[in-house]
Amino acid sequence: DVKVTQSSRYLVKRTGEKVFLECVQDMDHENMFWYRQDPGLGLRLIYFSYDVKMKEKGDIPEGYSVSREKKERFSLILESASTNQTSMYLCASRTGRHLGNTIYFGEGSWLTVV
Amino acid sequence: QQQVKQSPQSLIVQKGGIPIINCAYENTAFDYFPWYQQFPGKGPALLIAIRPDVSEKKEGRFTISFNKSAKQFSLHIMDSQPGDSATYFCAASMSNFGNEKLTFGTGTRLTIIP
């Protein structure tokens, strides 16, 4: 079974803190994604990566950055957390080798910024 | 902008009924339409997907109906059960090998009452 692991399930951070959300997948997938989920807004793409050291902005990249130094690991970074970044963050991965392949999600990281 | 519009936002159906969730899209270049199911505290998981060369696809009790001319697709759940209570997301993407991004709808919270 594909496993996408988000190491931190629940975090509480203060405004202005730097926040790291880590994600690891165990299926040698090329593509990895970070989404944000908010009630009434669905899932919105923050950043994605097609391969190691490659990254592309999604629909809402402002206030976020990412790092992909190893194929299995994709990190989301909030340089200076703000209260409007309180949300549930979902990491996902997919093989890039075929069209329309399934995206596999982690269980989410709940971030509260106070 | 909202490229995939999903309705209703929430839905309550009696056990055995047939909940129907609708999605409409704008971009005619979309050619892959998956539905994801999310239980509380979990990440979304692929339920069923369709491509526009067919008008209907069934997998067990779940059916996608697709209307290419109307740019609409819907999910039907036959003989619904309380265990189907979850949030359902429709999504759409364009085939662009190695460069696909899913655009999600805003989600439907489905409750099946015994």
Side-chain angles (χ1 to χ4, degrees):
Chain A
D1 271 358
V2 174
K3 195 157 181 68
V4 178
T5 303
Q6 296 181 233
S7 53
S8 301
R9 292 297 313 275
Y10 302 96
L11 306 95
V12 179
K13 297 291 182 181
R14 295 195 181 277
T15 300
E17 274 193 81
K18 190 168 186 175
V19 181
F20 292 87
L21 299 180
E22 305 286 346
C23 175
V24 177
Q25 51 95 1
D26 65 357
M27 281 300 291
D28 199 37
H29 284 169
E30 290 83 7
N31 301 164
M32 295 189 75
F33 308 83
W34 275 105
Y35 285 89
R36 171 176 171 161
Q37 182 175 0
D38 299 288
L41 296 177
L43 280 70
R44 294 178 292 167
L45 183 64
I46 304 172
Y47 267 97
F48 58 107
S49 169
Y50 296 125
D51 212 330
V52 178
K53 295 192 186 294
M54 296 178 68
K55 59 186 178 184
E56 297 252 354
K57 293 180 180 179
D59 300 318
I60 52 164
E62 296 79 19
Y64 304 95
S65 62
V66 290
S67 172
R68 193 159 179 212
E69 296 297 318
K70 293 185 177 182
K71 192 174 187 179
E72 68 271 18
R73 190 178 297 270
F74 192 36
S75 303
L76 180 69
I77 303 157
L78 287 67
E79 294 289 342
S80 177
S82 63
T83 54
N84 63 12
Q85 292 178 309
T86 292
S87 186
M88 207 249 282
Y89 292 87
L90 286 162
C91 176
S93 74
R94 180 188 66 200
T95 178
R97 287 169 238 146
H98 303 289
L99 297 175
N101 261 2
T102 301
I103 286 180
Y104 295 90
F105 285 89
E107 296 199 324
S109 297
W110 288 94
L111 172 66
T112 301
V113 182
V114 297
Chain B
Q1 73 271 20
Q2 183 68 51
Q3 292 195 58
V4 179
K5 293 183 179 179
Q6 183 172 348
S7 63
Q9 190 171 357
S10 63
L11 185 57
I12 300 174
V13 172
Q14 200 116 29
K15 177 184 172 184
I18 304 176
I20 300 173
I21 304 171
N22 299 299
C23 285
Y25 62 97
E26 297 161 8
N27 190 340
T28 55
F30 285 150
D31 60 0
Y32 173 67
F33 303 90
W35 285 88
Y36 278 77
Q37 180 188 54
Q38 183 181 32
F39 293 107
K42 301 291 186 182
L46 179 67
L47 185 63
I48 186 173
I50 196 169
R51 291 201 177 271
D53 52 346
V54 296
S55 60
E56 186 176 279
K57 183 173 181 180
K58 289 184 181 180
E59 285 187 7
R61 296 184 293 106
F62 300 91
T63 299
I64 299 178
S65 297
F66 187 82
N67 185 331
K68 189 174 182 178
S69 60
K71 294 188 286 185
Q72 295 176 347
F73 58 110
S74 59
L75 177 70
H76 298 62
I77 305 175
M78 305 302 174
D79 187 28
S80 58
Q81 301 295 316
D84 297 328
S85 298
T87 299
Y88 292 81
F89 293 95
C90 63
S93 71
M94 291 176 273
S95 294
N96 184 359
F97 186 71
N99 193 23
E100 294 171 63
K101 307 188 288 181
L102 276 180
T103 298
F104 283 87
T106 51
T108 297
R109 177 176 282 186
L110 173 65
T111 304
I112 307 297
I113 52 176

